[in-house]
Amino acid sequence: MDMQKIGVFLAELRKEKNLTQDELGEHIGVTNKTVSRWENGNYLPPVEMLQILSKFYDVSINEILNGERVKDSDYKNVSEENVKCALNRSNAIMRKHKKIMNWIIAVVVALLYIIISLISQKWHYTWIIWIVYCAYRTAESIVNHFLNIQFKSK
């Protein structure tokens, strides 16, 4: 998905209706800054806004995501490409969030380790927690590695 192309297309559709960004924003319930960000290609409208824009402009969501009107003969190919792009984008976001979550888990486990050690004054019990956590993370990494290899080979 070319966000710049999508933005230019959204601006063209708005201008065809002789609307300002402010007027469009009022009509669909967003600010003119949000409309500007979409039209400049800085952000992609969320799914619910894509549905609203699609109905408002009388174009398909696929046409919006393609950044131009789509001929009936090309519709299937464009749809397939848009789904692939959306899935790739979604996977990238999920990987980013997973990394953040892993860091949060690591910090929480480390803090628990320290707190339990300080309270119990028995450092050897807390080593069990740390070893279990490390084993879990290692197993998770190995499984993810092999899953990624299988998906890439197909």
Side-chain angles (χ1 to χ4, degrees):
M1 273 182 266
D2 183 348
M3 289 181 44
Q4 296 295 328
K5 187 176 176 184
I6 293 169
V8 169
F9 185 58
L10 288 172
E12 289 172 4
L13 292 171
R14 178 182 52 78
K15 290 173 186 171
E16 285 176 11
K17 293 237 181 209
N18 294 317
L19 294 171
T20 65
Q21 290 179 342
D22 209 24
E23 292 169 336
L24 174 63
E26 286 178 23
H27 187 75
I28 63 173
V30 297
T31 66
N32 62 335
K33 287 182 181 180
T34 300
V35 174
S36 176
R37 289 178 185 134
W38 296 340
E39 292 181 359
N40 288 328
N42 295 330
Y43 293 97
L44 189 64
V47 174
E48 59 274 0
M49 280 295 128
L50 286 173
Q51 292 172 333
I52 291 169
L53 291 168
S54 171
K55 288 179 185 173
F56 183 76
Y57 290 136
D58 195 30
V59 295
S60 70
I61 293 174
N62 274 320
E63 288 174 310
I64 293 173
L65 294 177
N66 194 46
E68 62 187 6
R69 297 190 190 272
V70 178
K71 298 175 188 171
D72 287 339
S73 60
D74 296 335
Y75 197 80
K76 182 179 178 183
N77 292 334
V78 169
S79 297
E80 288 288 325
E81 192 60 34
N82 286 336
V83 168
K84 287 178 189 175
C85 288
L87 289 173
N88 287 338
R89 188 179 170 124
S90 175
N91 284 338
I93 291 169
M94 287 177 62
R95 280 192 302 272
K96 179 182 175 185
H97 288 273
K98 186 175 180 178
K99 285 180 183 178
I100 292 169
M101 198 61 191
N102 286 340
W103 276 105
I104 291 170
I105 291 169
V107 168
V108 168
V109 168
L111 288 174
L112 285 172
Y113 170 75
I114 293 168
I115 291 169
I116 292 170
S117 297
L118 290 173
I119 291 171
S120 70
Q121 295 295 317
K122 296 180 181 177
W123 293 92
H124 61 277
Y125 290 124
T126 56
W127 280 106
I128 295 171
I129 295 170
W130 194 248
I131 291 169
V132 168
Y133 173 72
C134 291
Y136 162 76
R137 298 293 299 147
T138 303
E140 181 186 40
S141 296
I142 292 169
V143 168
N144 284 336
H145 176 74
F146 284 115
L147 287 176
N148 287 336
I149 289 173
Q150 288 177 347
F151 284 124
K152 287 180 183 176
S153 65
K154 288 185 179 182

